[in-house]
Amino acid sequence: MAEEESRSLEYTPTWVVAVVCIVIVLISLLAERGLHRLGKFFRDKKQDALFEALQKLKEELMLLGFISLLLTVFQGPVSQICIPENISIIMLPCTLKESGASNHLTATTGRHLLAGGNSVDHCSRHKGQVPLLSLEALHQLHIFIFVLALTHVVFCATTMVLGVAKIQRQWGHWEHSIQKEPRPHHVHIIHLKSFMDRAGRRWRKYTVVSWTVAFFKQFYGSVTKSDYIVLRSAFIREHCPTNSKFDFHKYMMRTLEHDFKKIVGISWYLWLFVVLFLLMNIAGWHTYFWLSFLPLVLLLLVGTKLEHIITELAQEVAERSSVVDETTPVRPSDELFWFHNPTLVLYLIHFILFQNSFEIAFFVWIWCTYGFKSCIMEELGFIIPRLVIG
C-alpha cells in the first residue's frame, strides 16, 4: 500500500504526466499574458504609477517563485535533519497530552512514512531522533506562503479600488464645482471660515480634548468640502501660485497610484513579522487573537493623527489671523507629522494592510488544511472576534 501511494515518475502513466504538465503550463501562460496585457493597458493610458505597481507585483511573484523553488529543492535535505525527540515537543501550537504524546508522535510518524518515508526511516535509525521538519509540514508551509502573498495582493487592490471610488465620488465632484465657480476667491473665503471652525472654542485647544474630538471625527465626514478647498488652495499657493485652475483632484489620483506601488509589495521587515508570529503561535498563548487588535489600534491611531493635523492647521490660522480674507495663508508642514516624517504614516498603512492580510490568510489556510475544529483554530469565542475585527 505504501509503495502504491509513493510510486515515482518511473511508474506513473505518461498520459497523467502530460495532462498535469499541460494544465500547469496553460495556467502559467494565461497568468503571464494577463499581466503583460494589463501592463500594456496601463502604458497606453499613461498610468505610469500603476504600471510601476504592476512591476512591483511581478517582483513579488518572482520572489514567491524563488521561495517555492527553495522549499522544493531543499525539502529532501531539510527533512533528513534529525533532532532529539524531547526538543521536538517544545513550543507546539497544539498541546500534547502527556499520556498520549508518544502515541500521537508514533501515529504522526506513520503518516509521514507514507508521504516521504526516507526522512523518518533515516532518523529512526538513531534512537530518540525525529525529523526537523517533515515533508508534509514543508508542503503545508509552502501553501501558506502562497496564500499569504495572494491575500495581501487582493487586500491592497481592494484598498486601491475603494480609495479611487471615494476620491472620484466626493473629491472629484468638489473639484468639478470649484473649476466651474466664477468667483473662486469668494468661495475660498467662505470655506476658510468653515475650516477655521475646526479650531473651536478655547477648550478645544487642550491636548486631551483636541485629540478626543479628532478620534471621533474620523468616523464621520473626516474630510469635508471646506477642508478640501482650503487645503487645495494652500497646495496651489505653495507649489503653483500662477495656476489657479490646477486640477488638485487629478494630482491626488496620481499620488494615490504612487503610494499604491509602495504598499503592494512585501518588504523584508514584513517577512520578519511573519516569522516572529509563527514563532509565537504557542498553545495557550492565543497569540493570533491578541494580534488581531494591533491593526485596529494602529488604524484608529493613524486616522486620529491625520484628523488632528487638520485641526492643528485650523487652530494655527485662527491664532494668526483675526480677519479672514483671500490672503489668509494655510501652511501645511511636515513638522505636524510624527518625527516630522509623513512617510511614516504610509509605512503604518502598509503594515496594517499586511497584518490584516496575514490574519485572514492564516485563518483560511488553517480552515482548508486542518479543518474548522483544528486545535490551531482555537475556540469559537476567539475566532469570531478575530474575524469581526479583521
Side-chain angles (χ1 to χ4, degrees), residues 122-172:
H122 170 74
C123 293
S124 63
R125 297 171 187 170
H126 308 281
K127 187 176 181 180
Q129 299 281 312
V130 293
L132 174 67
L133 196 64
S134 68
L135 291 178
E136 182 182 351
L138 273 170
H139 175 66
Q140 292 167 354
L141 182 62
H142 194 170
I143 294 176
F144 170 67
I145 292 175
F146 174 78
V147 172
L148 174 60
L150 179 64
T151 306
H152 179 62
V153 170
V154 171
F155 263 61
C156 290
T158 304
T159 303
M160 177 69 178
V161 170
L162 293 176
V164 169
K166 182 177 179 63
I167 289 178
Q168 293 284 16
R169 183 174 60 87
Q170 284 190 337
W171 299 4

Side-chain angles (χ1 to χ4, degrees), residues 371-387:
F372 194 78
K373 295 183 179 181
S374 169
C375 58
I376 304 181
M377 190 71 80
E378 298 184 319
E379 299 173 3
L380 193 64
F382 291 101
I383 298 173
I384 295 178
R386 281 174 55 188
L387 293 179

Side-chain angles (χ1 to χ4, degrees), residues 281-350:
N281 183 29
I282 301 174
W285 285 24
H286 308 299
T287 303
Y288 292 109
F289 172 74
W290 300 113
L291 174 63
S292 63
F293 289 93
L294 181 59
L296 177 63
V297 172
L298 289 177
L299 183 65
L300 295 177
L301 187 62
V302 169
T304 303
K305 178 60 178 177
L306 295 177
E307 282 294 327
H308 193 256
I309 287 174
I310 301 178
T311 302
E312 286 182 300
L313 289 172
Q315 290 174 348
E316 182 185 353
V317 174
E319 292 173 358
R320 191 174 62 244
S321 306
S322 56
V323 179
V324 179
D325 56 31
E326 63 186 51
T327 62
T328 302
V330 177
R331 299 169 182 168
S333 172
D334 290 350
E335 295 181 0
L336 297 175
F337 290 86
W338 288 307
F339 305 107
H340 304 169
N341 185 12
T343 309
L344 180 60
V345 173
L346 188 62
Y347 285 138
L348 287 175
I349 293 173
H350 190 188

